[in-house]
Amino acid sequence: MLRVENISAGYGDTEVLKDISVHFEKGKVTAILGSNGSGKSTLLKVLDKILKPFKGTVYINDKGFKDLPRKEWAKYVAYLPQRTDFVPHFNVFEAILLGRKPHITFEPTEEDFETVEKVIKDFQLEPFAFRKVHELSGGELQKVLIARALAQQPQVLLLDEPVNHLDPKNQMEILGILKRITVEIGLINITVLHDLNLALRFSDHFVFMKDGKIFSEGDISTITPSLVRHIYDISVELLEIKGTKVMVVL
């Protein structure tokens, strides 16, 4: 389990997160939702130790992250930000192998190569495993980025808008793969999403943020038109089509 206790954090003297406490469970996809500027990305940066909180602690398996150096924390947590730079001359296999860096002391081992091969298979990347990353489409590249994060074999996966700017087919495919892997290996999956319908379809737990605080959290039954109106200032109707909840903006 990942626990956040009384976290306040921000940039310079500006407080963005305000006394946040929340926990995340294994085998579940948690969607972090809220309007721009609500603190979603800042929360992920705190969880990855990129941003030091003003106060509070994050615990994973009852270990406080203050007690673990950054490289050791990277064995537990993998983070994919909204923008990621890649060395263009790397091929797909080499790019994903970079995810093994926290586990490699001198040279990659057979276990490292086997881990990369499995992730490539999970994301159906075999046809272009040795193609240069700059030759990939947007959907293919995003699969590689997520595969690299999973090659770390983390207990916690942090994704900041992982399917933003992708077409609907790639969005559904990538989120479907992530959902399956989350359940299969008992991953703690924390994903920032803007598309509420994608969140409804692929998430198990929902955390709504507003003004740097957690406004609401719970399972899908907690999501109501009133809640969405408070968070986004829009009117919606919730429908159920073939067993799947769908949100329609009025």
Side-chain angles (χ1 to χ4, degrees), residues 71 74-75 96-105 112 151-152:
K71 185 173 181 179
K75 294 180 181 179
I96 296 173
L97 184 61
L98 286 174
R100 299 297 300 160
K101 187 176 179 180
H103 303 275
I104 296 173
T105 304
D112 295 316
Q152 279 182 234

Side-chain angles (χ1 to χ4, degrees), residues 63-124:
K63 294 180 181 179
F65 73 174
K66 291 179 181 178
D67 303 324
L68 292 172
R70 182 76 172 79
K71 185 173 181 179
E72 189 67 21
W73 190 253
K75 294 180 181 179
Y76 293 92
V77 178
Y79 170 53
L80 180 62
Q82 292 180 34
R83 296 178 181 84
T84 301
D85 294 327
F86 246 137
V87 181
H89 62 265
F90 276 19
N91 65 36
V92 169
F93 191 97
E94 292 167 334
I96 296 173
L97 184 61
L98 286 174
R100 299 297 300 160
K101 187 176 179 180
H103 303 275
I104 296 173
T105 304
F106 297 109
E107 297 290 336
T109 65
E110 189 65 30
E111 180 183 353
D112 295 316
F113 292 129
E114 289 175 357
T115 299
V116 172
E117 288 169 2
K118 183 181 184 306
V119 174
I120 284 175
K121 183 177 180 181
D122 284 337
F123 280 86
Q124 301 173 2

Side-chain angles (χ1 to χ4, degrees), residues 59-191:
Y59 296 92
I60 183 165
N61 301 333
D62 295 322
K63 294 180 181 179
F65 73 174
K66 291 179 181 178
D67 303 324
L68 292 172
R70 182 76 172 79
K71 185 173 181 179
E72 189 67 21
W73 190 253
K75 294 180 181 179
Y76 293 92
V77 178
Y79 170 53
L80 180 62
Q82 292 180 34
R83 296 178 181 84
T84 301
D85 294 327
F86 246 137
V87 181
H89 62 265
F90 276 19
N91 65 36
V92 169
F93 191 97
E94 292 167 334
I96 296 173
L97 184 61
L98 286 174
R100 299 297 300 160
K101 187 176 179 180
H103 303 275
I104 296 173
T105 304
F106 297 109
E107 297 290 336
T109 65
E110 189 65 30
E111 180 183 353
D112 295 316
F113 292 129
E114 289 175 357
T115 299
V116 172
E117 288 169 2
K118 183 181 184 306
V119 174
I120 284 175
K121 183 177 180 181
D122 284 337
F123 280 86
Q124 301 173 2
L125 296 170
E126 300 99 321
F128 39 88
F130 297 100
R131 190 186 301 172
K132 301 296 184 182
V133 293
H134 71 271
E135 299 173 355
L136 303 178
S137 69
E140 291 165 347
L141 178 58
Q142 195 66 359
K143 285 182 182 179
V144 171
L145 293 170
I146 296 170
R148 183 184 67 172
L150 284 169
Q152 279 182 234
Q153 293 184 309
Q155 295 183 26
V156 180
L157 180 64
L158 309 173
L159 301 170
D160 197 349
E161 299 183 39
V163 294
N164 199 23
H165 304 308
L166 297 183
D167 61 67
K169 179 180 182 296
N170 276 297
Q171 288 180 338
M172 297 287 285
E173 185 177 353
I174 289 172
L175 291 177
I177 293 170
L178 285 167
K179 173 77 171 181
R180 174 177 58 79
I181 292 174
T182 296
V183 174
E184 284 180 355
I185 68 175
L187 190 65
I188 298 172
N189 180 330
I190 305 170
T191 302

